[in-house]
Amino acid sequence: MIKMYDLAGADKNRRFSPYCWRIRMALAHKRLNVECMPWHFTEKDKIKFSGQERVPVLIDGSNTISDSWEIAKYLESAYPDRPSLKLDNGEVLFIKFWSETVLHPELLQMLVLDIHDNLSLEDQSYFRESREKMLGKTLEEVVANRQEQLPRIQKLLTPLRSTLSKQEYLSGETPGFSDYIVFGAFQWARCVSGFSILNADDIVYKWRDKMLNIYEGLALSAVGYRV
Amino acid sequence: MIKMYDLAGADKNRRFSPYCWRIRMALAHKRLNVECMPWHFTEKDKIKFSGQERVPVLIDGSNTISDSWEIAKYLESAYPDRPSLKLDNGEVLFIKFWSETVLHPELLQMLVLDIHDNLSLEDQSYFRESREKMLGKTLEEVVANRQEQLPRIQKLLTPLRSTLSKQEYLSGETPGFSDYIVFGAFQWARCVSGFSILNADDIVYKWRDKMLNIYEGLALSAVGYRV
């Protein structure tokens, strides 16, 4: 069976990496089973064989692939007869970079302390040190006024909201990897934080709800918060 | 022959609408000839037959279509044997809304006075009044510190820049409507203003250069500024 190293919290069933969630959803899309092995930030040694220090790392027989984009491409080429992730749509790459450079940083500013609080003790000190250095503030200072940041994130979601008001999924009438990329960010939030980012009357919330429920509620049943 | 009402300045050969440019490029993509008829903001009567007050308006035999997105969909369905605009990629709609709600407003703040200055006298008063009402400032105030806005637009182009560093076009290995949508915004800028937005060493500049040169330099040869 395919195996994947998956970022976990102190509770090893709390799996919250947005990059790992993309792949969990992509595997389900392709009807491929996977054994997800919990991995913690400070367990660099465990994945050293992959030649780098981040998850997801996918192991499929004799193949080891890291980086979520490379994994998605691998799945497309190794399982061409399974439902397509629609990676041939060039615009998916734009969605990827929009998610990673616009949406993720904005969410991180709201979630960073909740992420910390859900980590194992060893990971907590690593995480605090590296993130405080990156953000130039204590984690507590970063999230202090997150309520006031909500209008900014609502505005930033405008292209997503407008798209979903015209069609069922980002990828069109059926979901594709672009949906899993953006959903991964919201699932990241949901798995670590009870802070409510989306309003229930938002079409983005409704789309996220569909994503939570597909594949027999794979994402809905994950350890997380009911937001 | 297909005809299109196309926004024009005081110089009737200056055609600068980003929405019209999408369609000019899409028509060239489909190897369809078009007669572009100059139209001014205050000539609402001329396009009244289309049931609305904006260009582009496309006339193909007995069909009249307005709204650039509807026109693109029409071209795909009416000319299915011509090269595809790849509108089936659901993510194109996200690119459209990103362009219209993120990129256009930012560019408008830099270009609005230059647009004004290139309009016919009648259009100038209409344009000034409507845009000053919309922006809540005089046109001169809006553009006063546009040099200082450049870092903001550079940052905002990050997802586009990252995408184009990985593949030739937004749409993948060949251009599609998503490229024409975003290019339309830069062509809008280039047709009305000598203000330089992109640096020559920027991959976005290089992509724009390719777009200017395709279809026998259709966009390059348009009346505009060498920026």
Side-chain angles (χ1 to χ4, degrees):
Chain A
M1 194 197 291
I2 295 175
K3 294 183 180 188
M4 186 178 104
Y5 282 97
D6 190 13
L7 187 63
D11 173 353
K12 73 176 176 19
N13 292 318
R14 188 181 306 277
R15 308 295 175 87
F16 59 93
S17 159
Y19 301 97
C20 292
W21 270 107
R22 293 177 186 179
I23 300 305
R24 294 281 301 276
M25 298 298 282
L27 288 162
H29 181 103
K30 286 202 166 282
R31 316 290 187 260
L32 291 166
N33 289 320
V34 61
E35 183 193 340
C36 286
M37 299 173 293
W39 177 87
H40 299 96
F41 281 121
T42 46
E43 298 178 316
K44 308 287 186 201
D45 279 356
K46 253 193 186 172
I47 56 168
K48 210 169 180 177
F49 68 94
S50 73
Q52 49 86 63
E53 303 190 322
R54 291 174 184 202
V55 292
V57 172
L58 195 91
I59 303 154
D60 187 14
S62 60
N63 297 310
T64 297
I65 314 103
S66 54
D67 182 286
S68 65
W69 185 252
E70 294 304 319
I71 294 172
K73 286 200 291 184
Y74 167 79
L75 294 175
E76 284 291 75
S77 67
Y79 301 95
D81 298 337
R82 306 295 182 104
S84 169
L85 294 165
K86 298 189 258 182
L87 287 186
D88 285 342
N89 298 3
E91 296 83 1
V92 176
L93 202 56
F94 182 92
I95 304 270
K96 167 184 151 66
F97 288 118
W98 177 81
S99 291
E100 294 173 9
T101 66
V102 179
L103 185 55
H104 284 197
E106 205 69 36
L107 287 173
L108 184 68
Q109 297 220 13
M110 300 184 168
L111 305 175
V112 71
L113 186 60
D114 293 327
I115 296 171
H116 171 272
D117 293 348
N118 275 298
L119 297 177
S120 67
L121 285 178
E122 268 193 325
D123 273 12
Q124 281 189 349
S125 46
Y126 157 80
F127 185 84
R128 179 180 286 276
E129 193 180 340
S130 59
R131 269 47 174 190
E132 291 190 345
K133 195 173 169 188
M134 182 177 93
L135 297 163
K137 291 181 191 178
T138 68
L139 303 186
E140 287 75 8
E141 284 167 349
V142 173
V143 304
N145 62 346
R146 65 180 176 178
Q147 197 71 39
E148 293 157 36
Q149 291 171 31
L150 279 174
R152 201 169 63 192
I153 202 162
Q154 295 304 336
K155 179 160 186 257
L156 170 162
L157 293 174
T158 303
L160 181 63
R161 186 173 293 121
S162 301
T163 303
L164 295 171
S165 74
K166 297 280 186 188
Q167 60 192 28
E168 287 293 306
Y169 297 97
L170 256 174
S171 190
E173 292 314 304
T174 58
F177 199 58
S178 59
D179 291 275
Y180 305 140
I181 289 171
V182 180
F183 173 72
F186 289 108
Q187 181 70 348
W188 173 39
R190 194 177 167 279
C191 287
V192 294
S193 178
F195 184 63
S196 182
I197 293 160
L198 298 172
N199 299 319
D201 61 355
D202 189 341
I203 191 109
V204 179
Y205 182 99
K206 287 170 184 137
W207 162 83
R208 194 197 60 156
D209 216 43
K210 279 187 290 192
M211 302 299 289
L212 283 167
N213 282 284
I214 51 174
Y215 311 132
E216 295 163 353
L218 171 66
L220 184 66
S221 63
V223 171
Y225 295 82
R226 302 270 150 206
V227 282
Chain B
M1 195 197 289
I2 295 174
K3 294 182 179 189
M4 186 178 103
Y5 283 96
D6 190 12
L7 186 63
D11 172 354
K12 74 176 176 15
N13 292 316
R14 187 180 307 277
R15 308 294 175 88
F16 59 94
S17 159
Y19 300 97
C20 292
W21 270 108
R22 294 177 185 179
I23 300 305
R24 293 282 298 277
M25 299 298 283
L27 287 162
H29 181 103
K30 286 203 166 281
R31 316 290 187 260
L32 292 166
N33 290 319
V34 61
E35 183 193 341
C36 286
M37 299 173 291
W39 177 86
H40 299 96
F41 280 121
T42 45
E43 296 178 316
K44 308 286 187 204
D45 278 355
K46 253 193 184 171
I47 56 167
K48 208 169 182 177
F49 68 93
S50 73
Q52 49 86 64
E53 302 190 323
R54 291 174 185 202
V55 292
V57 172
L58 194 91
I59 303 154
D60 186 13
S62 60
N63 296 309
T64 296
I65 314 102
S66 55
D67 183 287
S68 64
W69 186 253
E70 294 303 318
I71 293 171
K73 287 201 292 184
Y74 167 80
L75 294 175
E76 285 290 75
S77 68
Y79 301 95
D81 298 336
R82 306 295 182 106
S84 169
L85 294 165
K86 298 189 259 183
L87 287 186
D88 286 342
N89 298 4
E91 296 84 2
V92 176
L93 201 56
F94 183 91
I95 305 271
K96 167 184 150 69
F97 288 119
W98 178 80
S99 292
E100 294 174 7
T101 66
V102 178
L103 184 56
H104 284 197
E106 205 69 34
L107 287 173
L108 184 67
Q109 297 218 12
M110 299 183 169
L111 305 175
V112 70
L113 186 60
D114 292 328
I115 297 171
H116 171 273
D117 293 347
N118 275 299
L119 296 176
S120 66
L121 285 179
E122 267 193 325
D123 273 13
Q124 281 190 348
S125 46
Y126 157 80
F127 186 83
R128 180 179 285 277
E129 193 180 340
S130 60
R131 268 49 173 188
E132 291 190 345
K133 194 174 168 187
M134 182 177 93
L135 297 164
K137 291 181 192 178
T138 68
L139 303 186
E140 287 75 7
E141 284 167 347
V142 173
V143 303
N145 62 345
R146 65 179 175 178
Q147 198 70 39
E148 293 157 37
Q149 291 171 32
L150 279 174
R152 200 169 65 192
I153 202 162
Q154 295 305 336
K155 180 161 186 260
L156 171 161
L157 293 175
T158 302
L160 181 64
R161 186 173 294 121
S162 301
T163 303
L164 295 171
S165 73
K166 299 279 185 188
Q167 60 191 27
E168 288 292 305
Y169 298 97
L170 256 176
S171 189
E173 291 315 303
T174 58
F177 199 58
S178 58
D179 291 274
Y180 306 141
I181 289 171
V182 180
F183 172 72
F186 289 107
Q187 181 70 348
W188 173 39
R190 195 178 167 279
C191 286
V192 295
S193 178
F195 184 63
S196 183
I197 293 162
L198 298 171
N199 298 319
D201 62 354
D202 188 340
I203 191 109
V204 179
Y205 182 98
K206 288 170 184 134
W207 161 82
R208 194 198 59 158
D209 217 42
K210 281 188 289 192
M211 301 299 288
L212 284 167
N213 281 284
I214 52 174
Y215 311 131
E216 295 163 353
L218 171 66
L220 184 66
S221 63
V223 171
Y225 296 81
R226 302 269 150 206
V227 283

